[in-house]
């Protein structure tokens, strides 16, 4: 339960909000690289953190991300010409390079100060892992050079080892992050209908044993380990014999997560949430296998939606969405799965959307299984409040600490979470070997 | 003409409004029984008086009406599972019985207080006359046990004797009630085009004589008799010879009415308005014949829309509605009927919608024929204001006094309205014989 | 750049706003005459300056323009009956003549004061040049009789000499006026793509030379001459040899303009903007030739959209509009024209809409080529502010001074703007010979 003020702070991400300022200290995904397929191609409208922007790939293949409005009279650069390493407003031909400097202001007399003073707002971009990232914060936060793109593991692998996509989520970013960090809901939302065998669901990205253990223990015990850039949460359920089935998930500031199901050798999944406005967000979704290329079979599944990867249209809008009630089938709900909705991603979207555009956290009733939800809120609210007090966050400068994994493990009863992480990942916080530092805060 | 403050009070019915509180003292129709056709079937979204609710028919056939939001994290119970005499949230499996008590909170440790303290908001329901009714007020208003469902006559008859349906009205409830109580508008809105014979309109639920009398006297003289639960209004028009043609209509608190056209032996019609929000309402519409089953011919007409029963789609949205301008046909308006719109119900809907979502009563110019409109406003505003002052309304406890009829009668000139009611109904307020008490306030 | 307060004053035109009051001192186009094709035909909904009105052509062919709401109970007169030189509300038959006086109030007793006091709000109308004009201001502004319709030249010619239409513009009126007065944008917005010959665009209403001169000089020098009812702006570009290519455009209060391309003998074009609400306006668009009937070829082009005349549907909504991104074709933009959008009118609409429903003038960066934009704002803001101080505008009473022309001319270097106007039009302000007075303010 949050106060109304904290709920407001958590969920508002426009330019002048505390959380919006906090987000702007971190690099954000703003497009898939393949959404800008060619140099000098059509610009794209992009709304990020409540700001209306235009992205374009210039003549040299670099991505520009600029204010949608020309500084002259406010005409939209979306309708502009992308040419000669610049974007040109079609109203009066004002032309700007990727950094927002004027290249040509044809209706401005040569001697005018404008040639020196006019700037088009622009943000630095990088391409990493098939994703265009942008940094929308101050160029020298706290007097330091701006940070680098977080080194999520999928971005460090050859393209063959990953599948990267995105999906629109029609609710506030924070409640969707909460849905991912709260792994206790797997015992219900993604399960078969009562009486149906645990392995009856083709779409579930796990085998019968895991599904059975999840289903039979709706009261996992949660442990949390904080690290340099967030925390990892582990939920332990009773497994066969006296063993415990652990499912672990990462949270990295401000809005990254990895999923809990992966056994050694299996493919990993992760997401990054990027607010469009306060009632919608993009979820960038990644599958990657550090050990091998993804198989044709995996690729085919991912392209059609599988597990946390939604089935989407050409604009990355989920086929089963808010407007069509996720194509819920009440007979399927009665006889086949718990929701009557096809797809883990779609089941998540349905339940998160159903909380409302922004869930009212002043009337909720949290319980022990919401441990990670509570920790997530504290982390980001603390960060936003500290920044309001003038304290810059440290995490953006720990980009190497974002090479994180999570997944499943089976351990004996009594084994600590830290020990489980060490056994499973060789590192107590799930950091991939080879990355610097220890990273666990004790 | 009302003050802006009174117009606001009259038309706002949310939980925290005076009129909303007044309405909550009375049972409200919330669904047709046939909208929940089977036990353990799909839940339905229902918005009543500005509250978003979910209705379901449980394993025993009882109807639950509960908050749409799970008290845990606010996920929608519309997507929930209706099973084992309970509704279960699919997010974490929280399960509640029809009274809102938790049956199962699977992710809450056994010792938690939650098992005792958590409640899902729920409202008592009844089924009466093929309609699901709900009581959304305090369980012990003024220290008395809560009231019972108003005994509208159609509900006391065998199913064969009635037809029950509903229609969406896309404006505030109060102006639609006003349209029904103001029977003077029949002289215009529902008439043939000038020059067309009075009996040319197939759809009019009356014979040539009545239509002619209505048409030829646009200045009926109105009388009002108050009774225990509202009032009956009579309008007297000149008929053949020296006789008077009386048309009488009931108003019962807070939003019931019966229609004025019925001659002895003919089928009766009535309505109940239920605010969805302040710009839309459901009009539950009833046809009943106390003396005999409805004929096949009547049933067939009613199913396709007839008289005050609108032609509706499978969601009870009128086919001719605000979005398509009621399919107005200007040639029909010139040569056939007064409006160019087909159907008495649709003509009413058109003119009431056209006043705006909420009519501005500060700029109107009422006249003598608006007597019932004025009385209606006073009745409900007085009730709401009294309740604000702590005085509970008495009408909800007079459920037997709601067995009321109205209709048409021909009387000699000079006969009083009370005498007309006695002649026509055997009771000065139109109470059906066998119901208790006298009911007329003098 | 404007202050936020001035931007607000410039763009708000509702009944209680300074600019709304200023507009109401002038006659406004409210419909094309052909939108009311027959006597006693269907009424039309018209929203002008934020007021919801109903227009109808009565039995005698006169046009009534009245409040959409009946003064009795607020029912819409759009659904009313247009008959017997009056509009009749279908709710209770209240009937009003074209001046808003009650003809019949059938449910009001004969002795009631209502017969004397009730008035339906109505506005005087005129038909001039195939357009229905209305005057929505005080009947005796500043104690003088109300003004007359501005004598725009197209209205003084036989019907054969003109084509009159309108188009919806989905943004505030003022930024659209600015787009027309700023003739410097022709060097870009309406040009071929770079490398494509200047005469490759069939749709451009000018020949190769003019297009080449426009294209090759993006820095025209602007001069402005004020006159009794507004101003004329001239832009001089380098032409062949040492000559100058002048393009002149008229602005007449509060929202009339004529276009700059017309050479002697060619057809003229002009527009009048009428706010619907603050985010939409109608642009009445006129083509006329004072010397001869329009040719069949011209008429055919205009009907399909040509130059400043948009291609519209049967409701005068442009086919290429905001909702479909003006059917922008990025290949066309790369290889054929500057925008990838077909049609001068549509290119203008696109860029003006793209500034937002109301452009934020507090963040713009104007330059020398925006001289007419700046002057326009000053003229209308000064007028609105003077009126707030009790000073009635004089321009509405100078209806004869609205017979104005503008267009193209070639002059030697060093010739003054006033001399150019004299050479081209025989009058320094572009007044048509035969109209009274001089009209130029020096």
């Amino acid at each position: 339960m949050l106060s109304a003020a904290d709920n407001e702070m958590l969920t508002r991400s426009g330019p002048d909000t505390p959380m919006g300022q906090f987000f702007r200290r971190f690099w954000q995904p703003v497009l898939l690289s393949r959404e800008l397929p060619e140099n000098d191609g059509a610009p794209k409208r992009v709304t990020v953190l409540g700001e209306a922007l235009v992205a374009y790939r210039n003549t040299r293949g670099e991505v520009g991300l600029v204010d949608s409005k020309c500084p002259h009279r406010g005409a939209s650069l979306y309708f502009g010409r992308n040419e000669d390493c610049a974007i040109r407003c079609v109203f009066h031909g004002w032309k700007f390079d990727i950094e927002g400097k004027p290249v040509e202001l044809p209706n401005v007399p040569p001697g005018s100060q404008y040639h020196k003073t006019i700037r088009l707002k622009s943000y630095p971009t990088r391409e990493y892992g098939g994703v265009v990232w942008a940094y929308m914060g101050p160029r020298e936060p706290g007097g330091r050079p701006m940070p680098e793109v977080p080194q999520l593991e999928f971005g460090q692998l050859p393209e063959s080892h990953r599948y990267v996509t995105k999906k629109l989520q029609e609710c506030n970013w924070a409640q969707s992050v909460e849905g991912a960090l709260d792994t206790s809901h797997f015992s219900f939302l993604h399960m078969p209908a009562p009486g149906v065998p645990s392995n009856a669901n083709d779409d579930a990205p796990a085998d019968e044993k895991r599904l059975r253990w999840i289903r039979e223990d709706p009261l996992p015990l949660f442990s949390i380990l904080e690290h340099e850039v967030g925390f990892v949460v582990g939920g332990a359920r009773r497994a066969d014999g006296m063993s415990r089935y652990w499912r672990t998930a990462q949270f990295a500031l401000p809005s990254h997560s990895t999923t809990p199901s992966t056994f050694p050798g299996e493919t990993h999944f992760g997401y990054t949430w990027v607010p469009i406005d306060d009632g919608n967000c993009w979820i960038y979704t990644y599958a990657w296998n550090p050990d091998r290329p993804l198989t044709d079979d995996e690729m085919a599944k991912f392209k059609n939606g599988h597990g946390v990867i939604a089935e989407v249209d050409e604009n990355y809008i989920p086929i089963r969405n808010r407007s069509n009630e996720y194509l819920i089938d009440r007979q399927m709900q009665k006889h086949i799965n718990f929701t009557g909705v096809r797809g883990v991603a779609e089941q998540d979207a349905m339940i998160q959307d159903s909380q409302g555009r922004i869930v009212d956290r002043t009337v909720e009733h949290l319980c022990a299984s919401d441990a990670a939800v509570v920790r997530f809120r504290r982390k980001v609210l603390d960060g936003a409040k500290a920044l309001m007090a003038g304290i810059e966050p440290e995490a953006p400068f720990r980009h190497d600490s974002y090479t994180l994994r999570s997944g499943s493990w089976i351990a004996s009863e009594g084994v600590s979470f830290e020990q489980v992480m060490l056994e499973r990942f060789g590192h107590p916080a799930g950091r991939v070997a080879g990355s610097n530092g220890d990273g666990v805060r004790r």
Side-chain angles (χ1 to χ4, degrees), chain A:
Chain A
M1 192 154 126
L2 288 187
S3 68
D6 273 358
N7 199 33
E8 196 71 6
M9 187 184 290
L10 178 64
T11 55
R12 302 292 174 189
S13 67
D16 299 325
T17 62
M19 192 59 70
Q21 281 302 312
F22 186 66
F23 260 80
R24 280 165 176 76
R25 262 57 186 180
F26 298 84
W27 287 81
Q28 308 292 332
V30 296
L31 280 176
L32 300 171
S33 289
R34 65 181 182 269
E35 292 183 87
L36 294 172
E38 51 177 8
N39 298 359
D40 289 338
K44 290 223 31 126
R45 287 195 185 95
V46 181
T47 302
V48 189
L49 298 166
E51 293 188 37
L53 305 169
V54 164
Y56 67 101
R57 189 180 294 283
N58 74 7
T59 316
R60 285 193 299 266
E62 303 154 335
V63 177
L65 182 69
V66 299
D67 193 354
S68 68
K69 298 287 192 186
C70 176
H72 175 213
R73 304 250 333 268
S76 176
L77 294 169
Y78 170 75
F79 293 111
R81 302 182 60 84
N82 177 11
E83 61 192 13
D84 300 334
C85 283
I87 186 102
R88 184 196 275 276
C89 180
V90 293
F91 204 175
H92 301 86
W94 286 25
K95 194 169 171 181
F96 298 92
D97 71 14
I98 216 165
E99 291 172 339
K101 281 186 294 217
V103 175
E104 208 183 320
L105 304 177
N107 66 340
V108 175
S112 166
Q113 281 294 317
Y114 273 12
H115 296 287
K116 291 181 191 159
T117 58
I118 290 281
R119 280 290 175 284
L120 173 65
K121 185 169 70 177
S122 82
Y123 294 120
T125 66
R126 302 275 187 275
E127 289 189 85
Y128 176 78
V131 173
V132 179
W133 300 73
Y135 177 74
M136 297 167 68
R139 300 299 163 101
E140 298 195 344
R144 287 195 278 186
M146 69 180 187
E148 267 312 314
V149 173
Q151 297 296 296
L152 304 182
E153 189 179 27
F154 75 90
Q156 302 191 335
L157 302 172
E159 209 181 322
S160 57
H161 288 49
R162 67 170 175 252
Y163 182 79
V164 178
T165 183
K166 67 178 184 181
K167 56 186 177 186
L168 180 71
Q169 175 80 31
E170 297 179 78
C171 69
N172 185 262
W173 71 280
Q175 72 206 51
S176 185
V177 171
E178 291 173 354
L181 295 177
D182 156 30
T183 61
S184 77
H185 78 258
F186 275 75
S187 299
F188 304 95
L189 190 68
H190 307 307
M191 286 295 114
V196 176
S198 297
N199 59 351
N201 184 3
D202 272 359
D203 196 42
D207 53 41
E208 187 278 336
K209 268 193 182 168
R210 274 176 276 181
L211 291 172
R212 179 163 48 79
W213 296 331
I214 293 171
R215 187 182 196 181
E216 291 178 355
D217 187 352
L219 258 169
L221 292 177
F222 283 96
S223 306
I224 290 177
L225 276 172
E226 297 232 349
H227 53 60
E228 280 185 341
V229 300
F231 61 82
V232 59
V233 56
R237 285 177 169 88
R238 291 184 307 274
D240 297 340
M242 292 298 286
S243 61
R244 289 290 173 273
Y245 171 44
W246 283 84
R247 288 160 53 82
T248 71
Q250 294 281 358
F251 170 72
L253 288 165
S255 58
H256 308 280
S257 181
T258 58
T259 64
S261 196
T262 308
F263 263 146
E266 292 181 339
T267 292
H268 290 264
F269 297 88
Y271 342 68
T272 302
W273 286 259
V274 185
I276 298 169
D277 50 35
D278 298 333
N280 297 277
C281 58
W282 286 113
I283 310 180
Y284 287 81
T285 310
Y286 325 112
W288 75 96
N289 198 310
D291 305 325
R292 58 164 175 79
L294 299 181
T295 64
D296 290 351
D297 183 52
E298 282 179 310
M299 281 295 196
K301 276 187 186 170
F302 297 161
K303 280 175 185 165
N304 293 315
H306 179 76
V308 298
I309 297 173
E311 185 181 352
V312 294
D313 70 12
E314 68 279 12
N315 298 312
Y316 302 95
I317 313 296
I319 302 298
R320 298 183 284 291
N321 60 42
R322 187 187 270 274
S323 73
N324 59 20
E325 305 213 306
Y326 316 91
L327 302 180
I328 190 170
D329 175 335
R330 297 290 184 174
Q331 288 307 306
M332 185 193 288
Q333 185 176 32
K334 213 172 255 307
H335 302 299
I336 298 177
N337 70 10
F338 209 71
T339 54
V341 170
R342 271 194 53 219
V344 168
E346 287 81 356
Q347 292 155 7
D348 282 333
M350 172 200 76
I351 210 69
Q352 293 162 14
D353 285 351
S354 89
Q355 296 174 281
R357 288 282 169 176
I358 297 181
V359 67
D360 181 357
R361 290 178 179 80
T362 68
V363 295
E364 64 190 359
H365 292 85
L366 300 184
C367 50
S369 72
D370 294 307
V373 168
V374 171
R375 189 65 61 97
F376 151 72
R377 295 177 187 176
R378 194 197 305 162
K379 293 296 286 183
V380 292
L381 283 172
D382 283 357
K385 288 172 184 176
L387 183 58
M388 282 175 77
I391 304 162
E392 291 284 335
E394 189 59 28
F397 300 96
R398 297 285 166 268
H399 57 275
D400 285 327
S401 299
Y402 280 81
T403 315
L404 297 162
R405 292 180 189 167
S406 65
S408 285
W409 193 241
I410 298 171
S412 303
E413 201 188 347
V415 172
S416 74
F417 180 34
E418 192 165 344
Q419 184 60 30
V420 165
M421 290 300 288
L422 268 172
E423 286 180 15
R424 172 67 180 88
F425 301 105
H427 183 281
R431 286 274 294 285
V432 174
S435 53
N436 304 317
D438 164 317
V440 178
R441 283 207 215 144
R442 288 190 180 85

